Amino acid sequence: MNKRALSTLELDAWLEQACHEIDGQPVLARASATQQFRGDIEGTGQLEVLLTYHPDGSASSVGLERVVGRVGGRAGTFVLEHTGCVEDGVAKAQLAVVPGSGTHDLGGLRGRGWFVRPRGRAASLTLEYEFLEQ
């Protein structure tokens, strides 16, 4: 990857509901979220995520997020795959651009990154990316 984008990621909305509960077992939940990207990535993301909550209060999650906006001055949409956790109130995720998901000027976008979001604050997001010729 030859470029690096640094952005903040602000959570606008989070709607979560338990989708599978069994006594004595980790809770499974589903959430929908809207997020705002500001910085080298500008735009709005719509995130769909599945979570499991552990007895110690931590959680694990996987999700997909469609981002509409700009990366490195190019406009379009793309999808991010999230693999994350919440520990001690801090959300962390590894991110990957879903291959082939870029549209318009973001066609050919490839990348990997991460974010860290302390409780009640915006996340700091880093994405290392490149554009493959189409």
Side-chain angles (χ1 to χ4, degrees), residues 11 14 16 27 29 31 35 47 49-63 82-94 115-121 123:
L11 188 61
W14 180 270
E16 181 178 324
V27 173
Q35 306 190 98
L47 173 64
V49 63
L50 298 174
L51 304 107
T52 184
Y53 288 96
H54 308 290
D56 66 0
S58 65
S60 299
S61 65
V62 295
H82 291 238
T83 304
C85 66
V86 178
E87 296 174 330
D88 298 322
V90 177
K92 302 174 187 174
Q94 295 295 312
F115 76 73
V116 176
R117 182 191 321 266
R119 185 179 315 200
R121 298 185 49 205

Side-chain angles (χ1 to χ4, degrees), residues 4-34:
R4 177 177 279 193
L6 303 175
S7 294
T8 59
L9 186 53
E10 296 177 15
L11 188 61
D12 282 347
W14 180 270
L15 179 61
E16 181 178 324
Q17 84 181 105
C19 57
H20 197 262
E21 293 183 81
I22 299 174
D23 287 341
Q25 300 295 316
V27 173
L28 297 179
R30 176 180 306 134
S32 295
T34 303

Side-chain angles (χ1 to χ4, degrees), residues 65-67 69 71 75-80 97-111 130-132 134:
E65 180 172 24
R66 180 177 314 283
V67 180
V71 178
T77 68
F78 63 97
V79 176
L80 282 174
V97 174
V98 174
S101 67
T103 66
H104 304 292
D105 293 340
L106 297 178
L109 178 65
R110 300 287 187 267
E130 64 186 356
F131 291 95
L132 300 180
Q134 296 186 336

